[in-house]
Amino acid sequence: MFSLNDKIAIVTGSGRGIGRAISLVLAEAGATVMLTARTEKEIDETALIIKENGGKCQTFCADITDSTQVDNLMAKTIADYGRIDILINNAGQYQKRPIVNFPDKKLIPPIFPVEVKDPISDDEWKTLFDINVNSVFYCCRAAGVHMIKQKHGKVINLSSNSAIQASPYFAAYNSSKAAINMFTRVLALEWAPYNICVNAIAPGEFHTDLTEFSWSNPIEKQKRLDRIPLNREGDLRDIGMLANYLSSRSADYITGQTIYIDGGLSAK
């Protein structure tokens, strides 16, 4: 029931971190994984690991904030494999900026050390939404055409516990992830008649390149652990296993859900 044998999966942002972890698990479960990211070297490294472990994959370098490149990614997948069974929208970006300056310097202390720089610019706001939200729309639109024709498919969007837990100086990031939660629910309703399940995974405290600044500091690492009810760091493979479950036949009756994988943090 958890097997993905003969399934074709696309994973965005699969060159490192969560995207790489998900890709490795899907390949272990039998899927052929189309790895995509902007940095060719990183997806080549992921591909090497998959192939060394007997898995099947292909790489496609693309900037998924460009809808034309997204269309090309889907066209290449269809040309080579004839279908798209699984779409994992993982690519994302972090941003730490206030909305306006604080002339009186009365700053709310951030949970973790963060240099409060100048307010977020128009371009920075738009860039983050391009990566975190617009790219998901482009990928779902391009893959959905084929999934609807097939009358089956699994879509998994990467959200965050930040979608429901506000943090000072993260207005753009938190808002973008909240948008993903609602987009997931709406798409699940639209595509349910075609046997397409659309869900979101919302990770909590995981050690990635984006959070290296605090996990690498023993004091700040302990602060993170103290916030987590299970009082331990999550393993990126945990996210991969959840993605595997949602991609498999075992989750055929689950759609429109955002599942928080955070050691209980979102329950507080």
Side-chain angles (χ1 to χ4, degrees):
M1 292 294 288
F2 297 98
S3 172
L4 300 179
N5 283 338
D6 301 321
K7 299 298 183 182
I8 307 302
I10 297 174
V11 183
T12 70
S14 44
R16 58 182 176 173
I18 292 173
R20 175 175 288 182
I22 291 174
S23 299
L24 296 180
V25 174
L26 297 191
E28 286 178 23
T32 296
V33 186
M34 179 67 85
L35 307 166
T36 186
R38 288 181 293 186
T39 306
E40 188 170 8
K41 179 177 180 292
E42 291 180 347
I43 52 176
D44 285 346
E45 291 172 352
T46 302
L48 181 61
I49 298 170
I50 288 174
K51 291 176 181 177
E52 286 179 341
N53 285 282
K56 295 170 290 185
C57 65
Q58 184 179 165
T59 61
F60 189 96
C61 196
D63 178 357
I64 58 171
T65 65
D66 180 342
S67 63
T68 298
Q69 293 189 44
V70 170
D71 291 343
N72 291 340
L73 165 65
M74 303 303 167
K76 172 65 173 173
T77 306
I78 292 296
D80 288 357
Y81 303 109
R83 66 186 193 282
I84 300 169
D85 300 304
I86 301 161
L87 171 64
I88 312 286
N89 289 305
N90 163 75
Q93 188 181 80
Y94 211 44
Q95 183 61 268
K96 307 180 290 289
R97 291 291 179 90
I99 294 297
V100 298
N101 276 316
F102 299 97
D104 55 6
K105 305 302 181 184
K106 292 181 180 178
L107 303 180
I108 297 173
I111 296 173
F112 305 114
V114 53
E115 181 183 354
V116 181
K117 302 179 182 178
D118 294 333
I120 188 169
S121 69
D122 290 359
D123 285 344
E124 288 170 329
W125 181 278
K126 291 174 183 176
T127 296
L128 187 137
F129 270 79
D130 272 344
I131 296 172
N132 289 8
V133 181
N134 295 346
S135 70
V136 177
F137 163 63
Y138 297 149
C139 288
C140 286
R141 180 177 63 182
V145 172
H146 303 288
M147 290 183 172
I148 287 171
K149 288 180 180 177
Q150 299 165 178
K151 294 189 177 179
H152 73 83
K154 297 294 182 75
V155 177
I156 300 170
N157 302 319
L158 266 292
S159 178
S160 167
N161 65 335
S162 295
I164 59 172
Q165 294 183 314
S167 302
Y169 318 119
F170 291 88
Y173 181 75
N174 287 35
S175 299
S176 71
K177 292 305 181 180
I180 290 301
N181 285 11
M182 182 53 71
F183 181 75
T184 297
R185 293 173 64 186
V186 172
L187 206 59
L189 297 180
E190 289 187 16
W191 290 359
Y194 302 97
N195 195 34
I196 301 169
C197 297
V198 186
N199 293 292
I201 293 175
E205 304 287 2
F206 286 84
H207 191 160
T208 68
D209 290 346
L210 296 178
T211 57
E212 171 67 23
F213 69 93
S214 59
W215 282 110
S216 59
N217 181 314
I219 295 175
E220 300 306 327
K221 177 179 179 179
Q222 190 57 52
K223 288 181 181 179
R224 280 188 177 271
L225 294 176
D226 288 344
R227 295 177 67 229
I228 303 170
L230 289 182
N231 198 235
R232 65 176 176 83
E233 180 182 345
D235 187 330
L236 291 178
R237 187 173 171 83
D238 295 339
I239 303 175
M241 296 298 287
L242 178 54
N244 179 39
Y245 168 66
L246 291 174
S247 299
S248 73
R249 289 185 299 144
S250 299
D252 280 353
Y253 200 55
I254 299 176
T255 195
Q257 304 304 306
T258 297
I259 301 175
Y260 293 86
I261 178 167
D262 60 7
L265 185 58
S266 57
K268 295 172 70 175

